[in-house]
Short mmCIF file of all heavy atoms in Angstrom, two decimals:
data_model
loop_
_atom_site.label_atom_id
_atom_site.label_comp_id
_atom_site.label_asym_id
_atom_site.label_seq_id
_atom_site.Cartn_x
_atom_site.Cartn_y
_atom_site.Cartn_z
N PHE A 798 9.59 -38.97 84.78
CA PHE A 798 9.07 -39.79 85.93
C PHE A 798 8.85 -41.18 85.51
O PHE A 798 8.73 -41.48 84.33
CB PHE A 798 7.84 -39.20 86.53
CG PHE A 798 6.64 -39.18 85.64
CD1 PHE A 798 5.72 -40.19 85.72
CD2 PHE A 798 6.36 -38.14 84.79
CE1 PHE A 798 4.61 -40.21 84.87
CE2 PHE A 798 5.25 -38.11 83.97
CZ PHE A 798 4.40 -39.18 84.06
N GLN A 799 8.80 -42.12 86.41
CA GLN A 799 8.60 -43.50 86.13
C GLN A 799 7.24 -43.95 86.69
O GLN A 799 7.18 -44.41 87.84
CB GLN A 799 9.72 -44.33 86.78
CG GLN A 799 11.13 -44.00 86.29
CD GLN A 799 11.28 -44.38 84.81
OE1 GLN A 799 10.71 -45.43 84.41
NE2 GLN A 799 12.01 -43.63 84.05
N ALA A 800 6.18 -43.81 85.90
CA ALA A 800 4.82 -44.15 86.40
C ALA A 800 4.71 -45.59 86.71
O ALA A 800 4.04 -46.02 87.63
CB ALA A 800 3.78 -43.73 85.38
N GLU A 801 5.38 -46.46 85.86
CA GLU A 801 5.25 -47.89 86.10
C GLU A 801 5.87 -48.33 87.38
O GLU A 801 5.50 -49.37 87.93
CB GLU A 801 5.80 -48.66 84.93
CG GLU A 801 7.26 -48.46 84.65
CD GLU A 801 7.58 -47.27 83.73
OE1 GLU A 801 6.63 -46.59 83.37
OE2 GLU A 801 8.72 -47.12 83.42
N ASP A 802 6.81 -47.53 87.95
CA ASP A 802 7.40 -47.91 89.19
C ASP A 802 6.67 -47.30 90.38
O ASP A 802 7.18 -47.39 91.56
CB ASP A 802 8.92 -47.48 89.25
CG ASP A 802 9.75 -48.30 88.24
OD1 ASP A 802 9.33 -49.38 87.90
OD2 ASP A 802 10.77 -47.74 87.77
N GLY A 803 5.65 -46.55 90.07
CA GLY A 803 4.92 -45.86 91.17
C GLY A 803 5.55 -44.59 91.62
O GLY A 803 5.09 -43.97 92.56
N ILE A 804 6.57 -44.17 90.88
CA ILE A 804 7.20 -42.87 91.19
C ILE A 804 6.62 -41.80 90.25
O ILE A 804 6.70 -41.95 89.08
CB ILE A 804 8.76 -42.95 91.02
CG1 ILE A 804 9.30 -44.04 91.90
CG2 ILE A 804 9.39 -41.63 91.29
CD1 ILE A 804 10.77 -44.43 91.52
N ARG A 805 6.08 -40.82 90.81
CA ARG A 805 5.44 -39.79 90.02
C ARG A 805 5.93 -38.38 90.46
O ARG A 805 6.07 -38.12 91.65
CB ARG A 805 3.88 -39.81 90.18
CG ARG A 805 3.27 -41.00 89.68
CD ARG A 805 1.77 -40.97 89.98
NE ARG A 805 1.07 -41.74 88.95
CZ ARG A 805 0.76 -41.27 87.73
NH1 ARG A 805 0.99 -40.05 87.36
NH2 ARG A 805 0.08 -42.03 86.93
N ASP A 806 6.05 -37.53 89.47
CA ASP A 806 6.41 -36.13 89.75
C ASP A 806 5.03 -35.39 89.85
O ASP A 806 4.36 -35.25 88.87
CB ASP A 806 7.29 -35.56 88.63
CG ASP A 806 7.65 -34.15 88.90
OD1 ASP A 806 7.13 -33.54 89.85
OD2 ASP A 806 8.51 -33.62 88.16
N CYS A 807 4.65 -34.97 90.99
CA CYS A 807 3.33 -34.43 91.22
C CYS A 807 3.12 -33.14 90.36
O CYS A 807 1.99 -32.84 90.04
CB CYS A 807 3.19 -34.03 92.71
SG CYS A 807 3.11 -35.53 93.74
N LEU A 808 4.15 -32.41 90.04
CA LEU A 808 3.94 -31.21 89.26
C LEU A 808 3.73 -31.47 87.81
O LEU A 808 3.02 -30.72 87.12
CB LEU A 808 5.22 -30.31 89.43
CG LEU A 808 5.50 -29.75 90.75
CD1 LEU A 808 6.75 -28.99 90.84
CD2 LEU A 808 4.33 -28.92 91.32
N LEU A 809 4.21 -32.62 87.28
CA LEU A 809 4.05 -32.93 85.86
C LEU A 809 2.81 -33.73 85.57
O LEU A 809 2.28 -33.67 84.45
CB LEU A 809 5.28 -33.64 85.34
CG LEU A 809 6.61 -32.85 85.34
CD1 LEU A 809 7.73 -33.76 84.87
CD2 LEU A 809 6.43 -31.65 84.44
N SER A 810 2.38 -34.53 86.52
CA SER A 810 1.27 -35.46 86.21
C SER A 810 0.08 -35.12 87.05
O SER A 810 0.19 -34.90 88.27
CB SER A 810 1.72 -36.85 86.55
OG SER A 810 0.64 -37.76 86.36
N ARG A 811 -1.06 -35.12 86.37
CA ARG A 811 -2.36 -34.92 87.14
C ARG A 811 -3.03 -36.24 87.30
O ARG A 811 -4.12 -36.29 87.90
CB ARG A 811 -3.23 -33.94 86.38
CG ARG A 811 -2.62 -32.54 86.36
CD ARG A 811 -3.51 -31.58 85.69
NE ARG A 811 -3.77 -31.92 84.30
CZ ARG A 811 -4.65 -31.40 83.56
NH1 ARG A 811 -5.40 -30.36 84.02
NH2 ARG A 811 -4.85 -31.77 82.31
N GLY A 812 -2.47 -37.29 86.75
CA GLY A 812 -3.13 -38.63 86.88
C GLY A 812 -4.17 -38.86 85.82
O GLY A 812 -4.64 -38.00 85.08
N LEU A 813 -4.52 -40.15 85.66
CA LEU A 813 -5.51 -40.57 84.67
C LEU A 813 -6.90 -40.12 85.04
O LEU A 813 -7.77 -40.00 84.17
CB LEU A 813 -5.48 -42.08 84.52
CG LEU A 813 -4.25 -42.64 83.80
CD1 LEU A 813 -4.31 -44.14 83.77
CD2 LEU A 813 -4.13 -42.06 82.39
N GLY A 814 -7.19 -39.85 86.29
CA GLY A 814 -8.52 -39.42 86.70
C GLY A 814 -9.00 -38.17 85.96
O GLY A 814 -10.13 -38.10 85.53
N ASP A 815 -8.13 -37.24 85.70
CA ASP A 815 -8.46 -36.06 84.99
C ASP A 815 -8.82 -36.34 83.54
O ASP A 815 -9.69 -35.74 82.94
CB ASP A 815 -7.31 -35.02 84.98
CG ASP A 815 -7.12 -34.36 86.36
OD1 ASP A 815 -8.04 -34.47 87.17
OD2 ASP A 815 -6.03 -33.85 86.64
N VAL A 816 -8.11 -37.28 82.95
CA VAL A 816 -8.41 -37.69 81.55
C VAL A 816 -9.80 -38.25 81.48
O VAL A 816 -10.60 -37.87 80.60
CB VAL A 816 -7.38 -38.74 81.07
CG1 VAL A 816 -7.79 -39.24 79.66
CG2 VAL A 816 -5.95 -38.07 80.98
N TYR A 817 -10.14 -39.11 82.44
CA TYR A 817 -11.46 -39.78 82.38
C TYR A 817 -12.54 -38.71 82.69
O TYR A 817 -13.60 -38.79 82.11
CB TYR A 817 -11.52 -40.90 83.36
CG TYR A 817 -10.68 -42.06 83.02
CD1 TYR A 817 -9.75 -42.62 83.91
CD2 TYR A 817 -10.75 -42.60 81.69
CE1 TYR A 817 -8.92 -43.68 83.54
CE2 TYR A 817 -9.94 -43.66 81.36
CZ TYR A 817 -9.04 -44.17 82.25
OH TYR A 817 -8.21 -45.27 81.90
N LYS A 818 -12.25 -37.78 83.58
CA LYS A 818 -13.26 -36.76 83.88
C LYS A 818 -13.55 -35.88 82.61
O LYS A 818 -14.63 -35.57 82.34
CB LYS A 818 -12.77 -35.86 85.00
CG LYS A 818 -12.79 -36.50 86.34
CD LYS A 818 -12.22 -35.56 87.40
CE LYS A 818 -12.00 -36.34 88.73
NZ LYS A 818 -11.30 -35.55 89.63
N ARG A 819 -12.44 -35.57 81.87
CA ARG A 819 -12.67 -34.77 80.63
C ARG A 819 -13.45 -35.60 79.62
O ARG A 819 -14.30 -35.03 78.96
CB ARG A 819 -11.27 -34.39 80.08
CG ARG A 819 -10.63 -33.23 80.81
CD ARG A 819 -9.50 -32.61 79.99
NE ARG A 819 -8.50 -33.55 79.70
CZ ARG A 819 -7.42 -33.81 80.38
NH1 ARG A 819 -7.26 -33.16 81.53
NH2 ARG A 819 -6.54 -34.67 80.02
N GLN A 820 -13.19 -36.89 79.54
CA GLN A 820 -13.95 -37.71 78.60
C GLN A 820 -15.45 -37.74 79.00
O GLN A 820 -16.30 -37.64 78.13
CB GLN A 820 -13.38 -39.10 78.58
CG GLN A 820 -12.11 -39.25 77.84
CD GLN A 820 -11.51 -40.63 77.87
OE1 GLN A 820 -11.98 -41.50 78.63
NE2 GLN A 820 -10.51 -40.92 77.04
N ASP A 821 -15.70 -37.84 80.27
CA ASP A 821 -17.12 -37.80 80.69
C ASP A 821 -17.79 -36.50 80.34
O ASP A 821 -18.95 -36.49 79.94
CB ASP A 821 -17.18 -38.03 82.24
CG ASP A 821 -16.99 -39.49 82.60
OD1 ASP A 821 -16.94 -40.36 81.73
OD2 ASP A 821 -16.69 -39.74 83.85
N LEU A 822 -17.09 -35.44 80.50
CA LEU A 822 -17.66 -34.11 80.18
C LEU A 822 -17.94 -34.02 78.65
O LEU A 822 -19.00 -33.59 78.22
CB LEU A 822 -16.70 -33.00 80.57
CG LEU A 822 -16.58 -32.70 82.07
CD1 LEU A 822 -15.52 -31.67 82.31
CD2 LEU A 822 -17.93 -32.27 82.63
N LEU A 823 -17.02 -34.51 77.84
CA LEU A 823 -17.16 -34.44 76.37
C LEU A 823 -18.31 -35.36 75.98
O LEU A 823 -19.14 -34.95 75.12
CB LEU A 823 -15.87 -34.88 75.69
CG LEU A 823 -14.75 -33.85 75.76
CD1 LEU A 823 -13.47 -34.43 75.12
CD2 LEU A 823 -15.09 -32.54 75.08
N LEU A 824 -18.42 -36.56 76.51
CA LEU A 824 -19.49 -37.47 76.12
C LEU A 824 -20.79 -36.93 76.57
O LEU A 824 -21.80 -37.10 75.90
CB LEU A 824 -19.23 -38.87 76.75
CG LEU A 824 -18.07 -39.64 76.09
CD1 LEU A 824 -17.84 -40.94 76.78
CD2 LEU A 824 -18.26 -39.88 74.61
N GLY A 825 -20.83 -36.31 77.77
CA GLY A 825 -22.05 -35.68 78.25
C GLY A 825 -22.51 -34.59 77.30
O GLY A 825 -23.69 -34.48 76.99
N ASP A 826 -21.59 -33.73 76.89
CA ASP A 826 -21.92 -32.68 75.95
C ASP A 826 -22.42 -33.21 74.62
O ASP A 826 -23.37 -32.71 74.04
CB ASP A 826 -20.67 -31.76 75.67
CG ASP A 826 -20.33 -30.94 76.92
OD1 ASP A 826 -21.18 -30.87 77.85
OD2 ASP A 826 -19.26 -30.41 76.93
N LEU A 827 -21.78 -34.28 74.13
CA LEU A 827 -22.24 -34.92 72.85
C LEU A 827 -23.61 -35.48 73.02
O LEU A 827 -24.43 -35.31 72.13
CB LEU A 827 -21.19 -36.01 72.51
CG LEU A 827 -21.50 -36.76 71.19
CD1 LEU A 827 -21.47 -35.83 70.02
CD2 LEU A 827 -20.51 -37.88 71.01
N THR A 828 -23.86 -36.19 74.13
CA THR A 828 -25.20 -36.74 74.33
C THR A 828 -26.25 -35.65 74.39
O THR A 828 -27.31 -35.79 73.82
CB THR A 828 -25.17 -37.56 75.67
OG1 THR A 828 -24.22 -38.59 75.58
CG2 THR A 828 -26.53 -38.23 75.90
N THR A 829 -25.93 -34.58 75.10
CA THR A 829 -26.89 -33.47 75.15
C THR A 829 -27.13 -32.88 73.76
O THR A 829 -28.27 -32.52 73.39
CB THR A 829 -26.31 -32.39 76.11
OG1 THR A 829 -26.12 -33.00 77.40
CG2 THR A 829 -27.30 -31.22 76.23
N SER A 830 -26.04 -32.71 73.01
CA SER A 830 -26.16 -32.15 71.67
C SER A 830 -27.05 -33.05 70.75
O SER A 830 -27.88 -32.53 70.01
CB SER A 830 -24.81 -31.95 71.04
OG SER A 830 -24.02 -31.02 71.75
N ILE A 831 -26.81 -34.33 70.84
CA ILE A 831 -27.58 -35.24 70.01
C ILE A 831 -29.06 -35.25 70.46
O ILE A 831 -29.95 -35.23 69.61
CB ILE A 831 -27.00 -36.70 70.16
CG1 ILE A 831 -25.70 -36.77 69.44
CG2 ILE A 831 -28.02 -37.74 69.59
CD1 ILE A 831 -24.93 -38.05 69.72
N PHE A 832 -29.33 -35.15 71.74
CA PHE A 832 -30.71 -35.03 72.21
C PHE A 832 -31.38 -33.73 71.72
O PHE A 832 -32.49 -33.80 71.22
CB PHE A 832 -30.72 -35.08 73.75
CG PHE A 832 -32.12 -34.86 74.34
CD1 PHE A 832 -33.03 -35.90 74.28
CD2 PHE A 832 -32.43 -33.63 74.85
CE1 PHE A 832 -34.31 -35.67 74.85
CE2 PHE A 832 -33.68 -33.43 75.41
CZ PHE A 832 -34.68 -34.45 75.35
N ILE A 833 -30.70 -32.63 71.84
CA ILE A 833 -31.22 -31.33 71.40
C ILE A 833 -31.48 -31.42 69.89
O ILE A 833 -32.52 -30.96 69.38
CB ILE A 833 -30.32 -30.20 71.76
CG1 ILE A 833 -30.37 -30.03 73.30
CG2 ILE A 833 -30.72 -28.91 71.09
CD1 ILE A 833 -29.32 -29.05 73.85
N PHE A 834 -30.54 -32.02 69.14
CA PHE A 834 -30.73 -32.11 67.63
C PHE A 834 -31.97 -32.88 67.38
O PHE A 834 -32.78 -32.54 66.52
CB PHE A 834 -29.50 -32.74 67.02
CG PHE A 834 -29.63 -33.00 65.56
CD1 PHE A 834 -29.52 -31.89 64.65
CD2 PHE A 834 -29.85 -34.25 65.06
CE1 PHE A 834 -29.61 -32.11 63.33
CE2 PHE A 834 -29.99 -34.41 63.72
CZ PHE A 834 -29.85 -33.34 62.83
N GLY A 835 -32.18 -34.05 68.07
CA GLY A 835 -33.35 -34.86 67.88
C GLY A 835 -34.63 -34.14 68.18
O GLY A 835 -35.64 -34.26 67.49
N VAL A 836 -34.62 -33.31 69.25
CA VAL A 836 -35.84 -32.56 69.58
C VAL A 836 -36.15 -31.54 68.51
O VAL A 836 -37.33 -31.37 68.10
CB VAL A 836 -35.65 -31.82 70.94
CG1 VAL A 836 -36.76 -30.79 71.23
CG2 VAL A 836 -35.60 -32.82 72.08
N ILE A 837 -35.08 -30.83 67.98
CA ILE A 837 -35.31 -29.85 66.93
C ILE A 837 -35.86 -30.53 65.68
O ILE A 837 -36.84 -30.01 65.03
CB ILE A 837 -33.97 -29.12 66.67
CG1 ILE A 837 -33.62 -28.22 67.80
CG2 ILE A 837 -34.09 -28.32 65.33
CD1 ILE A 837 -32.25 -27.62 67.74
N VAL A 838 -35.28 -31.66 65.26
CA VAL A 838 -35.75 -32.42 64.09
C VAL A 838 -37.20 -32.77 64.29
O VAL A 838 -38.04 -32.64 63.40
CB VAL A 838 -34.87 -33.62 63.77
CG1 VAL A 838 -35.50 -34.47 62.75
CG2 VAL A 838 -33.49 -33.10 63.33
N THR A 839 -37.56 -33.32 65.44
CA THR A 839 -38.94 -33.74 65.73
C THR A 839 -39.92 -32.54 65.61
O THR A 839 -41.01 -32.65 65.05
CB THR A 839 -39.05 -34.33 67.12
OG1 THR A 839 -38.11 -35.45 67.17
CG2 THR A 839 -40.44 -34.81 67.45
N VAL A 840 -39.53 -31.41 66.20
CA VAL A 840 -40.42 -30.21 66.10
C VAL A 840 -40.59 -29.76 64.67
O VAL A 840 -41.68 -29.42 64.22
CB VAL A 840 -39.83 -29.04 67.01
CG1 VAL A 840 -40.48 -27.77 66.72
CG2 VAL A 840 -39.91 -29.42 68.49
N LEU A 841 -39.50 -29.79 63.93
CA LEU A 841 -39.60 -29.42 62.48
C LEU A 841 -40.50 -30.33 61.70
O LEU A 841 -41.31 -29.87 60.87
CB LEU A 841 -38.21 -29.29 61.86
CG LEU A 841 -37.34 -28.12 62.37
CD1 LEU A 841 -35.90 -28.31 61.75
CD2 LEU A 841 -37.94 -26.83 62.07
N VAL A 842 -40.41 -31.66 61.99
CA VAL A 842 -41.25 -32.56 61.26
C VAL A 842 -42.73 -32.35 61.66
O VAL A 842 -43.62 -32.35 60.76
CB VAL A 842 -40.82 -34.03 61.62
CG1 VAL A 842 -41.90 -35.05 61.21
CG2 VAL A 842 -39.48 -34.36 60.95
N LEU A 843 -42.99 -32.13 62.92
CA LEU A 843 -44.38 -31.86 63.34
C LEU A 843 -44.90 -30.61 62.72
O LEU A 843 -46.07 -30.53 62.29
CB LEU A 843 -44.41 -31.80 64.88
CG LEU A 843 -44.25 -33.10 65.61
CD1 LEU A 843 -44.16 -32.90 67.12
CD2 LEU A 843 -45.30 -34.06 65.25
N ILE A 844 -44.12 -29.52 62.66
CA ILE A 844 -44.54 -28.29 62.08
C ILE A 844 -44.87 -28.53 60.58
O ILE A 844 -45.87 -28.05 60.05
CB ILE A 844 -43.48 -27.17 62.23
CG1 ILE A 844 -43.43 -26.75 63.66
CG2 ILE A 844 -43.75 -26.00 61.29
CD1 ILE A 844 -42.29 -25.83 63.98
N SER A 845 -44.00 -29.30 59.92
CA SER A 845 -44.20 -29.62 58.49
C SER A 845 -45.54 -30.35 58.28
O SER A 845 -46.29 -30.07 57.36
CB SER A 845 -43.03 -30.43 57.98
OG SER A 845 -43.24 -30.89 56.68
N LEU A 846 -45.80 -31.36 59.15
CA LEU A 846 -47.04 -32.15 59.03
C LEU A 846 -48.27 -31.21 59.25
O LEU A 846 -49.25 -31.35 58.52
CB LEU A 846 -47.01 -33.28 60.05
CG LEU A 846 -46.07 -34.43 59.73
CD1 LEU A 846 -46.02 -35.37 60.92
CD2 LEU A 846 -46.48 -35.14 58.46
N VAL A 847 -48.19 -30.34 60.20
CA VAL A 847 -49.33 -29.48 60.53
C VAL A 847 -49.56 -28.53 59.29
O VAL A 847 -50.68 -28.36 58.90
CB VAL A 847 -49.08 -28.67 61.81
CG1 VAL A 847 -50.08 -27.49 61.96
CG2 VAL A 847 -49.15 -29.57 63.02
N LEU A 848 -48.48 -27.98 58.80
CA LEU A 848 -48.63 -27.03 57.62
C LEU A 848 -49.17 -27.73 56.41
O LEU A 848 -50.01 -27.21 55.71
CB LEU A 848 -47.34 -26.29 57.36
CG LEU A 848 -46.88 -25.34 58.39
CD1 LEU A 848 -45.49 -24.75 58.07
CD2 LEU A 848 -47.89 -24.19 58.59
N SER A 849 -48.66 -28.97 56.13
CA SER A 849 -49.15 -29.68 54.94
C SER A 849 -50.60 -30.10 55.09
O SER A 849 -51.36 -30.03 54.14
CB SER A 849 -48.30 -30.88 54.69
OG SER A 849 -48.40 -31.85 55.67
N ASN A 850 -51.04 -30.42 56.36
CA ASN A 850 -52.42 -30.74 56.60
C ASN A 850 -53.29 -29.55 56.41
O ASN A 850 -54.38 -29.59 55.89
CB ASN A 850 -52.58 -31.34 58.00
CG ASN A 850 -53.97 -31.93 58.18
OD1 ASN A 850 -54.52 -32.50 57.30
ND2 ASN A 850 -54.51 -31.78 59.41
N LYS A 851 -52.79 -28.34 56.87
CA LYS A 851 -53.58 -27.08 56.74
C LYS A 851 -53.74 -26.80 55.29
O LYS A 851 -54.85 -26.37 54.81
CB LYS A 851 -52.85 -25.92 57.45
CG LYS A 851 -53.67 -24.67 57.32
CD LYS A 851 -53.03 -23.57 58.11
CE LYS A 851 -53.76 -22.26 58.01
NZ LYS A 851 -54.68 -22.01 56.93
N GLU A 852 -52.70 -26.95 54.45
CA GLU A 852 -52.80 -26.68 53.00
C GLU A 852 -53.81 -27.58 52.36
O GLU A 852 -54.61 -27.17 51.55
CB GLU A 852 -51.45 -26.88 52.37
CG GLU A 852 -50.42 -25.77 52.67
CD GLU A 852 -49.06 -26.07 52.09
OE1 GLU A 852 -48.86 -27.04 51.37
OE2 GLU A 852 -48.15 -25.26 52.40
N LYS A 853 -53.83 -28.87 52.76
CA LYS A 853 -54.85 -29.81 52.19
C LYS A 853 -56.21 -29.47 52.61
O LYS A 853 -57.17 -29.44 51.77
CB LYS A 853 -54.52 -31.29 52.62
CG LYS A 853 -55.49 -32.22 52.06
CD LYS A 853 -55.18 -33.65 52.52
CE LYS A 853 -56.13 -34.69 51.91
NZ LYS A 853 -57.44 -34.27 51.52
N MET A 854 -56.38 -28.99 53.84
CA MET A 854 -57.76 -28.57 54.30
C MET A 854 -58.19 -27.31 53.53
O MET A 854 -59.36 -27.27 53.17
CB MET A 854 -57.70 -28.29 55.83
CG MET A 854 -57.55 -29.60 56.68
SD MET A 854 -57.36 -29.30 58.41
CE MET A 854 -58.78 -28.23 58.81
N ASP A 855 -57.27 -26.41 53.29
CA ASP A 855 -57.61 -25.20 52.55
C ASP A 855 -57.94 -25.55 51.14
O ASP A 855 -58.95 -25.02 50.58
CB ASP A 855 -56.45 -24.20 52.52
CG ASP A 855 -56.22 -23.53 53.92
OD1 ASP A 855 -57.15 -23.63 54.72
OD2 ASP A 855 -55.18 -22.97 54.09
N TYR A 856 -57.22 -26.51 50.52
CA TYR A 856 -57.51 -26.97 49.15
C TYR A 856 -58.92 -27.64 49.11
O TYR A 856 -59.73 -27.33 48.22
CB TYR A 856 -56.47 -27.91 48.67
CG TYR A 856 -56.75 -28.57 47.34
CD1 TYR A 856 -56.54 -27.90 46.14
CD2 TYR A 856 -57.31 -29.84 47.30
CE1 TYR A 856 -56.86 -28.44 44.93
CE2 TYR A 856 -57.65 -30.42 46.09
CZ TYR A 856 -57.42 -29.69 44.92
OH TYR A 856 -57.76 -30.28 43.71
N ASP A 857 -59.19 -28.51 50.08
CA ASP A 857 -60.50 -29.18 50.06
C ASP A 857 -61.63 -28.19 50.28
O ASP A 857 -62.70 -28.32 49.60
CB ASP A 857 -60.52 -30.21 51.23
CG ASP A 857 -59.67 -31.45 50.96
OD1 ASP A 857 -59.21 -31.64 49.80
OD2 ASP A 857 -59.46 -32.23 51.89
N LYS A 858 -61.44 -27.15 51.11
CA LYS A 858 -62.50 -26.18 51.28
C LYS A 858 -62.75 -25.39 50.02
O LYS A 858 -63.89 -25.19 49.63
CB LYS A 858 -62.13 -25.24 52.41
CG LYS A 858 -63.23 -24.20 52.75
CD LYS A 858 -62.76 -23.26 53.83
CE LYS A 858 -63.80 -22.20 54.09
NZ LYS A 858 -64.33 -21.54 53.00
N ASP A 859 -61.63 -25.00 49.40
CA ASP A 859 -61.79 -24.23 48.12
C ASP A 859 -62.46 -25.11 47.05
O ASP A 859 -63.36 -24.61 46.33
CB ASP A 859 -60.47 -23.74 47.61
CG ASP A 859 -59.85 -22.66 48.48
OD1 ASP A 859 -60.61 -22.05 49.24
OD2 ASP A 859 -58.64 -22.46 48.37
N TYR A 860 -62.07 -26.37 47.00
CA TYR A 860 -62.62 -27.27 45.94
C TYR A 860 -64.14 -27.44 46.27
O TYR A 860 -64.97 -27.42 45.34
CB TYR A 860 -61.91 -28.64 46.06
CG TYR A 860 -62.28 -29.55 44.93
CD1 TYR A 860 -61.56 -29.63 43.75
CD2 TYR A 860 -63.42 -30.42 45.00
CE1 TYR A 860 -61.88 -30.47 42.73
CE2 TYR A 860 -63.77 -31.28 44.02
CZ TYR A 860 -62.98 -31.29 42.86
OH TYR A 860 -63.35 -32.17 41.86
N TYR A 861 -64.48 -27.65 47.56
CA TYR A 861 -65.87 -27.80 47.94
C TYR A 861 -66.72 -26.56 47.61
O TYR A 861 -67.78 -26.63 47.05
CB TYR A 861 -65.99 -28.16 49.42
CG TYR A 861 -67.40 -28.43 49.83
CD1 TYR A 861 -67.96 -29.70 49.65
CD2 TYR A 861 -68.19 -27.44 50.44
CE1 TYR A 861 -69.26 -29.99 50.04
CE2 TYR A 861 -69.48 -27.71 50.81
CZ TYR A 861 -69.99 -28.95 50.61
OH TYR A 861 -71.33 -29.26 50.97
N ASP A 862 -66.15 -25.40 47.83
CA ASP A 862 -66.84 -24.16 47.54
C ASP A 862 -67.11 -24.04 46.07
O ASP A 862 -68.15 -23.51 45.64
CB ASP A 862 -66.03 -22.90 48.01
CG ASP A 862 -66.02 -22.81 49.57
OD1 ASP A 862 -66.85 -23.47 50.23
OD2 ASP A 862 -65.17 -22.08 50.05
N ARG A 863 -66.17 -24.46 45.23
CA ARG A 863 -66.34 -24.33 43.73
C ARG A 863 -67.20 -25.41 43.14
O ARG A 863 -67.94 -25.18 42.25
CB ARG A 863 -64.99 -24.34 43.07
CG ARG A 863 -64.26 -23.00 43.18
CD ARG A 863 -62.95 -23.09 42.47
NE ARG A 863 -62.15 -23.89 43.38
CZ ARG A 863 -60.98 -24.41 43.11
NH1 ARG A 863 -60.42 -24.13 41.96
NH2 ARG A 863 -60.32 -25.08 43.96
N HIS A 864 -67.09 -26.69 43.68
CA HIS A 864 -67.76 -27.79 43.05
C HIS A 864 -68.91 -28.44 43.82
O HIS A 864 -69.63 -29.26 43.32
CB HIS A 864 -66.72 -28.89 42.80
CG HIS A 864 -65.58 -28.44 41.93
ND1 HIS A 864 -65.72 -28.28 40.54
CD2 HIS A 864 -64.31 -28.10 42.19
CE1 HIS A 864 -64.61 -27.84 40.01
NE2 HIS A 864 -63.72 -27.70 40.98
N GLY A 865 -69.09 -28.06 45.07
CA GLY A 865 -70.14 -28.59 45.85
C GLY A 865 -69.89 -29.99 46.44
O GLY A 865 -70.75 -30.61 47.06
N SER A 866 -68.71 -30.50 46.20
CA SER A 866 -68.27 -31.79 46.79
C SER A 866 -66.82 -31.79 46.97
O SER A 866 -66.08 -30.96 46.44
CB SER A 866 -68.71 -32.93 45.85
OG SER A 866 -68.00 -32.88 44.65
N LEU A 867 -66.31 -32.81 47.73
CA LEU A 867 -64.88 -32.93 47.94
C LEU A 867 -64.23 -33.71 46.84
O LEU A 867 -64.92 -34.55 46.22
CB LEU A 867 -64.61 -33.60 49.27
CG LEU A 867 -64.99 -32.73 50.52
CD1 LEU A 867 -64.80 -33.57 51.76
CD2 LEU A 867 -64.13 -31.51 50.56
N PRO A 868 -62.96 -33.49 46.53
CA PRO A 868 -62.28 -34.26 45.48
C PRO A 868 -62.16 -35.72 45.89
O PRO A 868 -62.13 -36.06 47.08
CB PRO A 868 -60.90 -33.61 45.42
CG PRO A 868 -60.69 -32.85 46.65
CD PRO A 868 -62.06 -32.49 47.14
N LYS A 869 -62.20 -36.57 44.92
CA LYS A 869 -62.11 -38.03 45.16
C LYS A 869 -60.74 -38.53 45.17
O LYS A 869 -59.86 -38.10 44.59
CB LYS A 869 -62.97 -38.81 44.16
CG LYS A 869 -64.41 -38.38 44.28
CD LYS A 869 -65.26 -39.14 43.36
CE LYS A 869 -66.66 -38.88 43.65
NZ LYS A 869 -67.65 -38.54 42.85
#
């Protein structure tokens, strides 16, 4: 077919609109994936901070129980 002349074979060509629609779907999926990845990383960091703070609190309590004061 001769697309530049405006002559198109309808059976062979679906037009550029389909290409752009597929690109929008792929970019949307990529954006969603990046967002979900960011949420997962944020949750893991928060869990890590909570656990490390709990370990420090447990250490301070044990130290206080043994020494009668907190570590300096």
